[in-house]
């Protein structure tokens, strides 16, 4: 039963990632995951519950991947840790299976229909925001909250505009400007 639930979630994530939330129905998820419709509804009484589970799984995967890389860095290399977060997102954005961020897709496509998903989306974004802000505080920057928002806006912009900016050089150039902004902000706080 646990494997069937996992199969449903993994199938749904794959389908939602490749398409849109609204274009994928329960019947297609049931068909592609190879489970009975009754089994699907036993685990997920609604599509909204399934989407929430998918977002929780993706959030956990992203968190684990980023934290794994961060834990390999020197404890006090806060700038290096911020760069890891940036580089992780860039690698993801330019990977072959990237077709947009599920959290952005959910916000744009279905949040009005399923407002309860707001908490799951917000929790993911707040985790990342808190992590970045913690590193910026460690760097003793001026206005770490504002700098965190700028950093996240750059990442969000890259995720949305990846099709328009397929040149990875622009990503490296974006990092150099973020780094300059962080370092300038440190100077303001000395």
């Amino acid at each position: 039963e646990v494997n069937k639930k996992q199969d449903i979630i993994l199938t749904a994530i794959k389908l939602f990632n490749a398409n849109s939330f609204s274009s994928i129905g329960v019947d297609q998820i049931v068909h592609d995951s190879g489970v009975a419709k009754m089994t699907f509804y036993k685990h997920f009484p609604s599509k909204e519950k399934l989407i929430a589970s998918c977002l929780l799984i993706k959030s956990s995967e992203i968190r684990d991947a980023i934290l794994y890389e961060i834990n390999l860095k020197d404890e006090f290399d806060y700038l290096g840790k911020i760069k890891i977060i940036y580089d992780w997102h860039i690698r993801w954005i330019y990977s072959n299976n990237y077709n947009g961020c599920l959290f952005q897709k959910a916000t744009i496509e279905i949040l009005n229909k399923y407002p309860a998903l707001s908490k799951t989306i917000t929790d993911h974004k707040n985790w990342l925001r808190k992590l970045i802000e913690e590193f910026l505080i460690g760097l003793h920057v001026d206005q770490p909250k504002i700098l965190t928002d700028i950093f996240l806006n750059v990442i969000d912009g890259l995720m949305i505009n990846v099709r328009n900016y397929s040149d990875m050089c622009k990503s490296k150039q974006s990092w150099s400007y973020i780094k300059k902004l962080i370092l300038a902000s440190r100077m303001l706080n000395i």
Side-chain angles (χ1 to χ4, degrees):
E1 284 300 306
V2 172
N3 287 344
K4 288 183 180 184
K5 182 177 183 179
Q6 195 69 12
D7 288 344
I8 294 167
I9 291 171
L10 294 177
T11 300
I13 288 172
K14 182 180 172 188
L15 289 169
F16 292 146
N17 187 52
N19 302 282
S20 65
F21 286 102
S22 54
S23 70
I24 301 299
V26 170
D27 289 339
Q28 185 172 357
I29 295 166
V30 165
H31 176 267
D32 288 14
S33 63
V35 301
K37 201 174 224 180
M38 193 169 96
T39 303
F40 175 91
Y41 282 111
K42 176 182 170 189
H43 293 292
F44 303 102
S46 66
K47 186 176 175 183
E48 179 180 15
K49 297 288 186 196
L50 172 63
I51 293 170
S53 293
C54 291
L55 292 174
L56 286 170
I57 294 290
K58 285 309 292 178
S59 181
S60 180
E61 288 174 0
I62 291 168
R63 192 175 309 170
D64 290 348
I66 289 173
L67 289 177
Y68 174 79
E69 290 186 38
I70 284 172
N71 289 331
L72 297 175
K73 271 287 191 204
D74 178 63
E75 181 181 356
F76 300 108
D77 184 3
Y78 300 117
L79 186 60
K81 291 177 180 187
I82 294 168
K83 184 157 187 339
I84 283 172
I85 295 168
Y86 183 84
D87 288 345
W88 185 90
H89 281 89
I90 295 305
R91 284 193 312 274
W92 178 41
I93 291 166
Y94 287 102
S95 68
N96 289 335
N97 65 343
Y98 181 80
N99 195 29
C101 170
L102 283 183
F103 296 94
Q104 287 177 339
K105 280 185 179 186
T107 301
I108 293 166
E109 293 178 23
I110 56 171
L111 198 53
N112 287 337
K113 185 174 182 178
Y114 304 124
L117 293 175
S118 178
K119 181 177 177 354
T120 306
I121 295 166
T122 302
D123 286 350
H124 172 73
K125 196 60 140 183
N126 285 342
W127 168 79
L128 190 56
R129 177 176 279 110
K130 183 179 174 194
L131 185 66
I132 295 162
E133 188 177 335
E134 175 185 316
F135 297 147
L136 289 169
I137 289 169
L139 285 168
H140 306 289
V141 300
D142 186 45
Q143 303 292 327
K145 285 185 184 318
I146 293 171
L147 205 50
T148 298
D149 287 341
I150 291 169
F151 180 86
L152 287 172
N153 285 334
V154 170
I155 295 289
D156 284 344
L158 287 168
M159 284 193 283
I160 291 169
N161 291 307
V162 68
R163 302 287 182 248
N164 299 331
Y165 303 107
S166 59
D167 182 3
M168 193 160 287
C169 276
K170 288 188 170 88
S171 303
K172 290 178 183 174
Q173 190 177 26
S174 292
W175 169 252
S176 89
Y177 284 109
I178 290 169
K179 182 178 174 183
K180 287 176 188 175
L181 190 58
I182 291 169
L183 295 176
S185 185
R186 282 182 78 185
M187 300 296 270
L188 292 172
N189 208 26
I190 293 178

